[in-house]
Amino acid sequence: MERIRDRHTSGGFALWPANDSPRPTGSSQRDFTLADLVSAVGSLPPSTKSSELINELRALEDLKSAISARQAKAAVALDLAQRREQADAGVPAAEQGRGVAAQVALARRESPNRGSRLLGLAKALVTEMPRTMAALETGQLNEWRATLLVKETACLSVEDRCAVDEELAADSGTFNGAGDRVIIAAAKAAAYRRDPRSVTQRASHAASERRVSLRPAPDTMTILTALLPVAQGVAAYAALTRHADSARSSGDSRLRGQVMADALVERVTGTPGGINGVEVQVVMTDRTLFQGDAEPARLKGYGIVPAEWARALLTDGAAGRERRAGSEEQAGSGPQPGSQARGQRDLDAAEREEFRVMLRRLYTAPGSNELLTIDSTSRIFPQRLRRFIEVRDDTCRTPYCDAPIRHIDHIVPWHDGGTTNLTNGAGLCEACNHTKENPGWSAEAPSADVHTLELRTPTGHLYQSKAPPLPGYNGVAPPGAMRDKRP
């Protein structure tokens, strides 16, 4: 078996036979599978010399780039093969190719959104940017920097993109030692020289992509992000900065960033604490809520939160808890004046009175800790059953996809005899729900202690995901656990 061996004469690493005979070429070369390559990399003997370790890091980085290039070629070949098979099956030309990006995502253990971008990258590299592709194959560019070149030329026609690829000539070492900003600037300049109108139109269209997103951060924090046109973004930030400077000059003891964050919440929600009369879906055990147990809870739309934090949210409200925490941190700098302290307590009491939380009790079956099912004779999932599935699944149930749930749909379709119940329902994002309706895709929910979704792709590969475990139960795999099987 071939393996990776240290080649001292070249200062690097290479695939080479176990003995010292010349590497076979042409028709005499024996079959060498990707599994052999994985085994060879894993069996590479460790080195103790710094120079050899540096050589190994560089060689492995080159190998990663070459593998990325190979994945791009495989993705394009898969797209062509799937289109041929779909054409033979009578699929209309306009619908051919659907679901290929989702298969790429599953195979690469990525989200469907990421899979779509990877397929687009592969098509651009293989069919339109040969010199960038060659640089990736030889390790002169990594996958991320090749992605930057593709992204900055996306607005060009095929002919202009090929011309920019030729001008930049990444395979000739143009970007040796260059950072991301240098590569982006060079690609933008070349694209603008080739087709200034398309670049300008792209900038104008970018405003239509403005959006706000939310993602979890450690320690029960979140990151609220807004993608805005530059003038609006600068104006919003300047307004928050002026407010913070004014508050600080008036004696506000909060840090500048804290004032800006609080002002943002207040101006967006219209309330000082930012929460008023909302439903907060927290899943926790009765021991956590009533007996002070330390078992963490799960907050829908965020994830796992500490038990004490969840109890405080349900009893006092987030605003009062955070304000008290801030007051305790400031206690070391001296006591507050009596009138100010009384005013603070009155404000906390008023906010707690306004803060209303609806506590939904979710019962689980003994032993398996599975949420109890609810049956329905309707084709459409009733509102309470939809809410139940949303709480159980938390995010999209497609493997590797953690997008927010947008659709509650049948795992086995209604027209194929699927029933409207908890077992046959799954929470999916919009893209994944549409993907599973493409020809060759199927899904089922096999019997298991924890709700399980099995997804089969047109190539016969089987992927499996389980509902995330509920608080208080450690007998299942962690959230997002899944496995895939080859046909």
Side-chain angles (χ1 to χ4, degrees), residues 254-272:
R254 291 174 294 173
L255 298 177
R256 188 165 177 266
Q258 293 174 334
V259 177
M260 294 175 67
D262 294 344
L264 173 64
V265 172
E266 181 175 352
R267 294 183 182 188
V268 171
T269 64
T271 60

Side-chain angles (χ1 to χ4, degrees), residues 168-340:
L168 298 179
D171 63 326
S172 64
T174 303
F175 297 116
N176 284 346
D180 292 354
R181 290 188 178 183
V182 172
I183 293 176
I184 291 173
K188 282 184 175 180
Y192 188 79
R193 287 193 297 270
R194 184 63 53 179
D195 188 355
R197 175 174 295 182
S198 293
V199 175
T200 303
Q201 290 176 345
R202 176 183 175 180
S204 300
H205 176 72
S208 66
E209 299 178 350
R210 60 191 182 277
R211 60 185 179 273
V212 177
S213 60
L214 183 72
R215 63 184 187 274
D219 303 323
T220 65
M221 301 290 283
T222 57
I223 300 175
L224 178 66
T225 304
L227 179 64
L228 301 170
V230 62
Q232 296 178 10
V234 170
Y237 187 81
L240 292 173
T241 300
R242 288 194 300 269
H243 174 79
D245 291 341
S246 176
R248 293 277 291 172
S249 64
S250 301
D252 196 315
S253 60
R254 291 174 294 173
L255 298 177
R256 188 165 177 266
Q258 293 174 334
V259 177
M260 294 175 67
D262 294 344
L264 173 64
V265 172
E266 181 175 352
R267 294 183 182 188
V268 171
T269 64
T271 60
I275 306 176
N276 185 19
V278 299
E279 177 180 311
V280 179
Q281 296 188 25
V282 181
V283 183
M284 64 171 65
T285 66
D286 54 349
R287 301 183 305 277
T288 297
L289 180 58
F290 299 115
Q291 301 176 16
D293 192 84
E295 176 67 34
R298 193 177 80 198
L299 178 64
K300 187 179 184 302
Y302 177 83
I304 300 300
V305 295
E308 181 63 32
W309 186 94
R311 282 192 294 269
L313 178 69
L314 294 175
T315 55
D316 297 336
R321 180 184 57 79
E322 291 172 358
R323 181 171 286 103
R324 287 196 302 278
S327 300
E328 292 172 0
E329 290 178 359
Q330 298 171 14
S333 61
Q336 291 182 317
S339 58
Q340 184 177 354

Side-chain angles (χ1 to χ4, degrees), residues 68-80:
S68 296
R70 179 71 179 190
Q71 285 181 315
K73 292 181 177 179
V76 173
L78 172 65
D79 181 65
L80 294 174

